[in-house]
Amino acid sequence: MTNLILATDSYKHSHYLQYPPETRAISAYIEARPNDFADDVVFFGLQPFLMDYLARPITAADIDEAEAVCAAHGVPFNRAGWEIVLAEHGGYLPIAIRALPEGMIVPTSVPLVQVETTDARLPWLATFIETALLRAIWYPTTVATLSRQCRLIIRAGLERTSEDVEGQLPFKLHDFGARGTSSGESAGLGGMAHLVNFMGTDTMEGLLAARRYYGADMAGFSIPAAEHSTMTSWGRAREEAAYANMLDAFDGEGKLVAVVSDSYDLDAALTGIWGGTLRGKVLTRKGTLVVRPDSGDPVETPVRAIRTLWEAFGGTVNAKGYRVLDPHVRVIQGDGMTPASIARLIDRLIAEGFAIDNIAFGMGGGLLQQVNRDTLRFAMKANAMRDADGVWNDVAKAPATDLAKASKAGRQAVVMEQGRPAARRMDEVAEADNLLRPVWRDGAMLVRHSFDEVRARAV
């Protein structure tokens, strides 16, 4: 179990001695600052933090452990403060949290979360939890934002070339990223964040996270699929038999099976086996074969595969004038996929006259691991201090060396302006108009979102 007192940066333990003596409360907010990656973010992931971290009260053992660690580590420890949390608050941090509805599409520079302390003796707690809270939000929000970028690109391709956009879109980007994450917790949070936008995944921790934290019965789906070990175990001389076994083992009405086909020679497999000796078997099956190239140029290779399959299996030209493969065959490209390469691949297929119906995309480490806090330039900053007279005083920074890091002064609110969320000072906004709603106070969860609600907002 995590000791919340130690789920922070070392220097935070000295901050209770650093605030002005008149300080009775601190307010701090979280935002994604302007960046080169995305103008809008999908806010997601606060609820798991509330359930796993804040809903578990600290214990006397936690305090003892933290005191021993801090003493050996060389930093101060506020035992008296933590004893107040334990004795007078039942171990729950005396803080209040406001947040936007999860799943909301939010422009950068708009606060997503705001934290205030509720015990005048413990004002330092608001920023003490920065480390744990910020990483709980930046990671799933960044993955959900990346996944949404891919969704927008794929949707545009489908709208241009397909007769069925909504039916296909949820399964057009598949998550293969579990093995590339830094931990099982990352796989769960990141895999769940991808499922805000799509329903295809092989990251089973993401399914469990969506079920546990947002009440999703089953948030994602997959199909039987080969890997190189299962294909190469047959040996090169029996490559055709390995493929035939896949067709026989997973046949069924409306079912799909994916077969990695580059273990030896992708082009030979496409022309000599799939489009040659096994062509009749493919065409008489009830299900769909999904051919997976897994090496070579991530754009040209799948285009060539689709072209070769068209020559072998044919298909139809849809009402929009684009070629759609015979329904017994499709392609998935899971190697080297990024938003940029997906866009290039879609453009190449369209230039070749192929509908995006013919292909699905997969992402692994690029989806769940190749992001960091600076991808969306996330930050948590104090914005107000309440003094002994009950007056909220503005707090902000404005570094002359980097004005892009200037923070917001005064407690924040978020309102809708011209159809988009915008940041405003709380003292200038009516409570009913403030989209930053109370979600947590002193150990109690005030709002619980369902996964369906999150998905509906993220469209």
Side-chain angles (χ1 to χ4, degrees):
M1 296 293 291
T2 298
N3 184 340
L4 184 59
I5 306 175
L6 294 174
T8 191
D9 293 299
S10 301
Y11 75 139
K12 295 284 190 181
H13 283 281
S14 67
H15 289 179
Y16 75 100
L17 297 169
Q18 299 179 31
Y19 286 104
E22 71 273 16
T23 305
R24 298 296 181 268
I26 291 291
S27 170
Y29 71 97
I30 292 175
E31 69 176 356
R33 293 174 293 194
N35 59 83
D36 296 329
F37 186 77
D39 294 327
D40 296 323
V41 304
V42 181
F43 171 48
F44 183 63
L46 174 62
Q47 197 157 283
F49 175 78
L50 301 180
M51 296 172 65
D52 275 359
Y53 287 80
L54 296 191
R56 189 186 77 84
I58 66 166
T59 65
D62 290 334
I63 296 174
D64 290 342
E65 179 184 49
E67 183 176 41
V69 169
C70 287
H73 187 49
V75 295
F77 183 69
N78 186 3
R79 186 175 185 102
W82 290 109
E83 291 286 2
I84 291 173
V85 174
L86 179 63
E88 300 186 31
H89 297 281
Y92 297 102
L93 303 191
I95 59 174
I97 299 177
R98 287 174 173 262
L100 296 177
E102 294 198 39
M104 178 177 280
I105 309 300
V106 187
T108 57
S109 294
V110 172
L112 307 174
V113 175
Q114 189 161 242
V115 183
E116 293 179 9
T117 47
T118 60
D119 187 321
R121 298 166 294 179
L122 309 171
W124 46 272
L125 275 173
T127 51
F128 184 88
I129 65 170
E130 174 187 1
T131 306
L133 177 57
L134 190 58
R135 69 186 174 204
I137 292 172
W138 80 252
Y139 175 64
T141 295
T142 304
V143 173
T145 301
L146 169 59
S147 178
R148 177 176 180 265
Q149 285 187 323
C150 294
R151 181 182 174 96
L152 293 174
I153 293 167
I154 297 169
R155 174 185 280 280
L158 285 171
E159 288 177 342
R160 182 172 172 182
T161 66
S162 175
E163 296 179 53
D164 178 19
V165 176
E166 299 305 326
Q168 296 187 69
L169 184 58
F171 295 96
K172 279 297 185 183
L173 182 64
H174 202 88
D175 170 15
F176 295 120
R179 72 189 61 182
T181 59
S182 59
S183 67
E185 183 181 31
S186 295
L189 295 174
M192 175 176 59
H194 166 71
L195 291 171
V196 170
N197 302 290
F198 291 94
M199 298 179 72
T201 186
D202 265 31
T203 300
M204 300 194 80
E205 288 106 327
L207 305 176
L208 296 178
R211 175 174 292 187
R212 176 182 179 188
Y213 298 120
Y214 294 89
D217 180 32
M218 180 46 60
F221 303 89
S222 191
I223 63 172
E227 68 177 23
H228 289 106
S229 73
T230 62
M231 296 297 94
T232 56
S233 294
W234 292 72
R236 185 164 191 166
R238 292 196 294 165
E239 183 180 12
E240 178 187 326
Y243 294 166
N245 178 67
M246 292 294 291
L247 297 180
D248 291 335
F250 302 105
D251 195 11
E253 192 69 41
K255 293 185 178 180
L256 297 89
V257 61
V259 184
V260 63
S261 302
D262 72 328
S263 296
Y264 308 109
D265 186 332
L266 173 65
D267 294 296
L270 289 168
T271 57
I273 302 178
W274 293 129
T277 55
L278 292 182
R279 179 178 181 276
K281 193 176 188 68
V282 171
L283 289 172
T284 56
R285 291 178 74 249
K286 297 177 182 178
T288 299
L289 162 69
V290 182
V291 177
R292 178 164 73 94
D294 196 49
S295 56
D297 186 279
V299 173
E300 295 305 320
T301 301
V303 171
R304 189 170 75 251
I306 290 173
R307 187 190 306 122
T308 303
L309 290 172
W310 175 266
E311 293 169 356
F313 292 94
T316 59
V317 176
N318 66 20
K320 294 185 177 180
Y322 290 90
R323 292 182 285 177
V324 181
L325 283 167
D326 181 285
H328 291 90
V329 287
R330 291 291 185 268
V331 169
I332 184 168
Q333 177 63 26
D335 182 52
M337 290 292 92
T338 66
S341 62
I342 289 173
R344 292 197 305 273
L345 177 48
I346 287 174
D347 287 343
R348 282 286 291 113
L349 287 170
I350 291 175
E352 291 269 342
F354 286 110
I356 307 307
D357 305 52
N358 298 302
I359 194 166
F361 310 89
M363 291 182 70
L367 177 65
L368 301 189
Q369 188 66 24
Q370 292 176 18
V371 296
N372 57 53
R373 183 172 70 91
D374 290 329
T375 302
L376 293 175
R377 298 188 69 236
F378 260 96
M380 180 173 175
K381 297 298 176 184
N383 57 351
M385 181 271 284
R386 194 181 74 225
D387 61 26
D389 296 323
V391 176
W392 283 101
N393 301 274
D394 288 357
V395 173
K397 73 170 189 175
T401 50
D402 188 355
L403 291 178
K405 288 190 173 183
S407 61
K408 293 175 170 56
R411 291 190 297 165
Q412 295 293 295
V414 176
V415 298
M416 294 299 292
E417 291 187 354
Q418 299 181 337
R420 288 172 61 79
R424 293 292 177 265
R425 291 181 63 99
M426 184 185 288
D427 53 19
E428 298 174 351
V429 172
E431 175 64 21
D433 296 330
N434 187 2
L435 298 178
L436 284 171
R437 303 287 169 79
V439 298
W440 182 270
R441 187 177 180 90
D442 301 340
M445 182 178 287
L446 307 178
V447 174
R448 183 160 184 172
H449 304 288
S450 73
F451 207 64
D452 286 342
E453 291 170 341
V454 173
R455 277 177 163 166
R457 297 187 191 107
V459 172

